Every structure is written in structure tokens, then in C-alpha cells.
Amino acid sequence: MTALAQLSVAALDLDAIAAASGRVVVIVTPDGKLGLPARRINRLTKGALARFVESDGFETMKDGEAKDLAYPTGMEADAVQVVKLSNQASSALCRKAGAAIGAALGKADALVLPGSVKRVEELALGIAFKHYSFTDHKTLDEEVTVPSVTLAVTKPENVDLSTVTALAEGVFFTRDLVSEPANVLTTTEFAKRLVELESLGLKVEVFEEDRLAELGMNLLLSVGQGSVTPTKMVVMTWSEGGDEAPIALVGKGVVFDTGGISLKPGAGMEDMTMDMGGAGTVSGVMKSLALRKAPVNVVGLVGLVENMPDGQATRPGDVVKSMKGDTVEIINTDAEGRLVLADVLWYAQETFAPRAMVNLATLTGACVVALGHENAGVFSNDDAFCNGFLKAAEAEGEGAWRLPLGAGYDALIKSDVADMKNVGPRWGGAITAAQFLKRFVKDDVPWMHLDIAGVASVSTPTTLAPKGATGWGVLALNRMIDDMNAEMNKEG
């Protein structure tokens, strides 16, 4: 598993700057004025820092960007990284600046001198997020080392990195799960890793196929009929919020998706290792909640399955009865994620009576066509609940865009032989998928469906992540849960 850079806070010691090894990072405000740490570095380097700040190179840098002064004379450090950032910079800019630091870290330790920057925790979060590289299956010439990053500030007692670390650990957990190949992250291995979260105080229960059959979760089971890998459901419970009903998070965990009998084209099928991204995000949120001891009640449920074609696989045209009791005509076995979620959503409501429910899935290519890789698709039956999430996502810089639901779309999944079919026509595919899921949500339960097909894994780096798994949603859902808890406490 990928380890975080070791973040710590220390009191600023100007005399220690000269002897600091590895990398030294100094913040310089856009007006070019040198703060106390910068002035010390300038003196040690015989004016090199001031000359750089007065150059066109610094002038053309944007807020949050960074450049290196290599092998600075008068210092033990290999490089001085100069970051351009105003003291009152926004959270987003501080994270961007931190990401510039994290991207350049490598194996070397770093001494970071934030100066008078107000949002030091946001700077640290950016450092942690960007210094990520999934190397579990690479043969490396030497052992992977985890750098130590010390943020030296005048008042270390005012900087608390515990929440930063908890959030970063959750995001890394999600990224690692999404990055794993399917021959490693089987449903059994996935469940094992979730059971290990019990050491953090989560209650974790694994449901095997015989139990799922007893519960009538036939839609979930139908997806895995063609695979030798056993279908499972894992339920993670965090109960630190008193007697209040929990918030339920439900994730699609298709560890590999061939499309089943409705076989996908071969080109790009290797990317379908990430089709468990919804379950990965739910798992990361639950880990973060436990690590930061959040005073909330949240239950995370993930359906784990592999969608493969063989003689036992579900056929197009098969009719399957759901846990709810409704029947589904399976037109396309590659529209399997909604079958996984439907039964797990119903189980969540029947068992936990949640006060609100969110499901996440890499559900449709149609959502990627509509929104690209900038935004997840958001669907909801409750405006206030949805707006609260959108506000949280915007605050965390995680793109999300609301798409409609409606009776007209619902009519597109009407079946001639069953209560509904699992796909509609080609147009509006992300919406008809959401309409299908809505059939398995009780009218009095605030619900939201997040289609994360375009944002769970990307082919180019983002501000806070290298290319590949992003961990999208861990931050926004943590914030949304906190906001809902604060609002409930205020009303109480």
C-alpha cells in the first residue's frame, strides 16, 4: 500500500536552515517581499534568492507555482524551491502550491517554510496528495523510501495536521484500490482489506453468496454468475454520532468488467480494473471518518463482484427478481452496475433506515460523453440534500454537475415482460441509469446518485493527483457529512 509523506510541524529555527539537507521550500509573496525565512535564505545564498525574485522567471510565475534554485551556495540543501503564494491565498491555491511541492519531492526530505501563509494545513494537504505513486507491482532498483516533510512555522501549536493525514490516508486507500489489477484485487482480497479497517474502530461484516441468496439479492448475484470469483457484500459501520439514524454510502465494486455476455470491445478493456471506483471511494471515506474519529453515524456498503462470460453467466433477456421484489429484464449484461447497486440500496434502507443515502459508481460512458473528466454526474430526489453536496464538492474543488430525473426518462426503461428493463435507448443513458436506481429508493429517503465514470481515474495528471486513480469524492463526502452533522446539531 502507498505510504504518505511523513508530515510534521516544528517551530521555525532560522539557524537550522543552512544545515537542512534534501530540499528547502520557501514561500515568497507575489509582490516579491521576502519574509523572515526568505531573508535568511537570501543571506546564505549571497543574494541569489533576491536576484531570482527580481527576474522575469519569478514575474511570469502564477500564484501557486514553484521553481527550483539547484545546489544553492552556502546551504547543505540540494535545492531551494521557491513557491509564489500570497499570505491570504485561498484553500485551492494553497493546495495547488502544496501540490507543486509534493510533485517535486522525490525521495529527499524537505523543510518547508510557509512564512506568513494562513492556511498551512491546506498547503500540507496538497503536498500529501500530489506525492503519490502506485509502485506495488514495479520491480525497483532500490527500496521505496518515504520522505519526511517538516513545516516550520512561528506558532506550531496553531497547526493541526491530524485531519489532513486522515483525509490523505482515505484518498490514498481509494487510489490504491482503484489502481490494483483485477488478479490481485479480487472480491476476496477487497473484502479482506476492508475487514482490516476494524483495527481503526469500524465494524465490518462480510456477506457471502449463501447469505445474499437468503436475502433475495438476486440482481447482485446475477452479475457474478459467470465468474469463479465469489460475489460479496461488505458493510462497514461507524457509530460515533449518538442515536441518530446513519447516512448510508453505497458503492459499486465490480472488480473487473468484461461486459459479460454483452462483451465489451477488446481495446481499452484493461481499464475496467477501475470499475470498482464507487466502492473504492466509499471505502476511503469510511477510513477517513475512522481515522479522524468523526462524531457521526455512517454506514458504508459495497457490492463486490466480477462480471465475466461463461456458461453460467446471465444472458440478455433473462428476468431476475430483486430483493425489493420488482423484476428486471436484463437487456444488456454490460449495464451491470445498476444491478449491483439496486439490491445494496434496498438492503441499506431495510436494515439501517438511513436519514440520507448516496450511491457512487463508475456507471455509464454516457456520463463521460456529457461531462468529460471534469465533473461527476449528480442525480437526486431531494434539492436540499443535493445542494449541500454540490456546495461541499465546490469547496473541495471536486467537480460535480447536477443532471435531471423525470417521468419521461422513466418511461424509457419500461419492459414488456418484467417490471422494468436495465437499459433504455442510447440517448440519455446516464439519466435512464439514474431512473433505474431511483426505483429502488423509498420516497421518504433523501437520495443522491453520483456517476463517477469520468472522474475516478483519468489519463492525464490533475492539480492534486498524478494520472490514474484520483480518489475523487473522499473530500467532498467527508465535508458533506460534517456539514450535515453540524446542521443537525444546530437544529437539536
Side-chain angles (χ1 to χ4, degrees):
M1 301 296 284
T2 307
L4 295 178
Q6 298 300 302
L7 301 173
S8 63
V9 180
L12 177 63
D13 181 356
L14 294 175
D15 293 332
I17 294 175
S21 60
R23 298 176 64 79
V24 173
V25 182
V26 62
I27 307 295
V28 178
T29 53
D31 59 12
K33 292 182 180 179
L34 302 183
L36 203 58
R39 291 200 298 272
R40 175 58 64 93
I41 291 173
N42 190 53
R43 193 177 82 188
L44 290 168
T45 59
K46 299 184 176 10
L49 179 58
R51 289 193 294 275
F52 172 69
V53 170
E54 292 165 3
S55 72
D56 289 342
F58 182 80
E59 178 67 25
T60 57
M61 287 168 61
K62 296 178 181 178
D63 235 10
E65 292 184 345
K67 289 188 178 179
D68 276 10
L69 304 179
Y71 302 105
T73 302
M75 297 176 65
E76 291 294 320
D78 298 329
V80 170
Q81 187 179 30
V82 183
V83 180
K84 188 175 188 178
L85 188 69
S86 60
N87 292 333
Q88 303 293 336
S90 66
S91 293
L93 276 175
C94 286
R95 290 181 184 183
K96 177 184 176 183
I101 299 168
L105 267 183
K107 302 173 183 177
D109 294 341
L111 174 66
V112 180
L113 306 166
S116 300
V117 169
K118 302 300 181 187
R119 295 179 172 87
V120 177
E121 289 91 349
E122 302 289 1
L123 191 72
L125 191 70
I127 294 171
F129 273 26
K130 194 67 171 184
H131 189 258
Y132 175 89
S133 180
F134 185 74
T135 60
D136 284 11
H137 305 295
K138 290 187 176 182
T139 302
L140 304 175
D141 294 333
E142 53 190 72
E143 187 177 346
V144 175
T145 57
V146 180
S148 296
V149 179
T150 304
L151 295 104
V153 297
T154 53
K155 294 182 178 180
E157 65 276 10
N158 292 343
V159 179
D160 182 5
L161 298 183
S162 60
T163 297
V164 169
T165 300
L167 292 172
E169 288 278 9
V171 168
F172 273 37
F173 190 50
T174 296
R175 289 179 182 176
D176 280 354
L177 290 169
V178 173
S179 299
E180 287 283 17
N183 63 322
V184 174
L185 194 72
T186 63
T187 59
T188 300
E189 173 63 18
F190 201 146
K192 175 177 172 289
R193 294 189 188 187
L194 298 185
V195 169
E196 290 171 354
L197 297 179
E198 288 184 325
S199 64
L200 303 179
L202 284 166
K203 177 185 175 184
V204 182
E205 186 176 5
V206 180
F207 292 68
E208 303 293 350
E209 288 185 344
D210 55 350
R211 181 83 182 279
L212 299 176
E214 289 174 7
L215 290 167
M217 301 181 78
N218 301 311
L219 293 180
L220 171 59
L221 288 167
S222 74
V223 176
Q225 283 179 196
S227 175
V228 296
T229 298
T231 298
K232 301 174 187 285
M233 179 174 68
V234 181
V235 179
M236 299 163 280
T237 306
W238 179 253
S239 303
E240 295 295 326
D243 297 328
E244 294 296 327
I247 298 167
L249 307 178
V250 176
K252 169 191 172 184
V254 180
V255 295
F256 193 76
D257 182 19
T258 66
I261 297 299
S262 305
L263 192 67
K264 292 177 181 291
M269 194 189 289
E270 68 276 8
D271 293 336
M272 287 299 99
T273 57
M274 53 73 73
D275 209 22
M276 36 57 63
T281 300
V282 170
S283 303
V285 173
M286 298 306 294
K287 183 171 185 177
S288 288
L289 292 173
L291 283 169
R292 64 189 184 89
K293 306 298 180 189
V296 296
N297 292 336
V298 180
V299 58
L301 308 95
V302 296
L304 306 180
V305 65
E306 184 178 44
N307 188 20
M308 298 284 281
D310 82 349
Q312 300 298 315
T314 297
R315 297 161 291 247
D318 284 358
V319 175
V320 181
K321 188 175 183 180
S322 68
M323 182 185 179
K324 178 187 175 186
D326 290 347
T327 56
V328 177
E329 181 187 8
I330 298 175
I331 301 296
N332 188 329
T333 63
D334 193 25
E336 85 297 333
R338 64 203 69 183
L339 304 177
V340 173
L341 292 171
D343 275 343
V344 182
L345 284 167
W346 196 255
Y347 175 86
Q349 293 166 97
E350 290 287 279
T351 306
F352 297 101
R355 61 188 176 103
M357 185 167 60
V358 182
N359 69 255
L360 299 95
T362 50
L363 205 64
T364 66
C367 193
V368 185
V369 172
L371 299 176
H373 297 283
E374 299 298 318
N375 290 284
V378 182
F379 304 82
S380 183
N381 64 356
D382 187 286
D383 290 344
F385 183 42
C386 184
N387 290 338
F389 172 77
L390 292 172
K391 180 181 177 182
E394 183 179 13
E396 295 294 351
E398 295 189 319
W401 194 263
R402 189 174 186 181
L403 294 169
L405 295 166
Y409 299 106
D410 202 42
L412 298 177
I413 56 173
K414 183 179 179 181
S415 168
D416 292 333
V417 299
D419 295 325
M420 70 195 84
K421 55 187 179 181
N422 75 324
V423 291
R426 186 165 175 236
W427 54 88
I431 303 173
T432 52
Q435 289 292 158
F436 180 92
L437 294 174
K438 187 173 180 288
R439 299 276 188 100
F440 298 89
V441 178
K442 298 181 180 183
D443 291 340
D444 60 346
V445 177
W447 161 77
M448 191 161 42
H449 160 50
L450 304 179
D451 191 332
I452 63 173
V455 294
S457 184
V458 293
S459 59
T460 57
T462 67
T463 301
L464 296 180
K467 74 174 185 177
T470 63
W472 184 99
V474 173
L475 294 181
L477 288 168
N478 266 279
R479 180 181 284 267
M480 182 200 78
I481 290 165
D482 284 350
D483 289 347
M484 290 179 66
N485 192 51
E487 185 66 27
M488 180 183 67
N489 291 336
K490 184 171 67 175
E491 292 173 355

